[in-house]
Amino acid sequence: MTLLIDQNQFPEALGLLRSMRPSYPQDPWLATMEAYVYLRLGRSEPAAEIAAEALSLGSEDPMAALVLGVAHRNLGHHFPAAK
């Protein structure tokens, strides 16, 4: 999956992530990667929702907070983006 992301094959990576996440619903890394892929695909709303989920699952990956902030900014939610 990371190979797909590294090769900018985001639709394929999203398909793989969506098939994997139900088997590992408590995995914050998978949630972070799914949020990142949604953001790269220009889909800020699901990116924000899933990044927030990753953080609530205990993600310590700075990418989760970055995706959440950028997605909020893209949606015009400037106060949450500044957090």
Side-chain angles (χ1 to χ4, degrees):
M1 188 238 338
T2 55
L3 182 62
L4 293 172
I5 293 171
D6 290 344
Q7 294 177 346
N8 295 326
Q9 295 181 16
F10 299 115
E12 295 83 357
L14 181 59
L16 183 57
L17 283 160
R18 291 184 69 183
S19 70
M20 291 173 63
R21 286 231 30 233
S23 298
Y24 305 96
Q26 300 300 313
D27 188 320
W29 182 81
L30 285 175
T32 299
M33 291 298 99
E34 185 177 8
Y36 173 74
V37 169
Y38 270 117
L39 187 67
R40 292 298 307 262
L41 289 169
R43 299 182 58 194
S44 294
E45 192 165 318
E49 291 171 7
I50 297 169
E53 178 186 350
L55 291 168
S56 74
L57 290 171
S59 177
E60 296 180 9
D61 186 340
M63 179 66 73
L66 178 65
V67 169
L68 182 60
V70 172
H72 276 305
R73 186 197 68 208
N74 291 348
L75 293 167
H77 305 155
H78 299 291
F79 181 72
K83 286 183 173 184

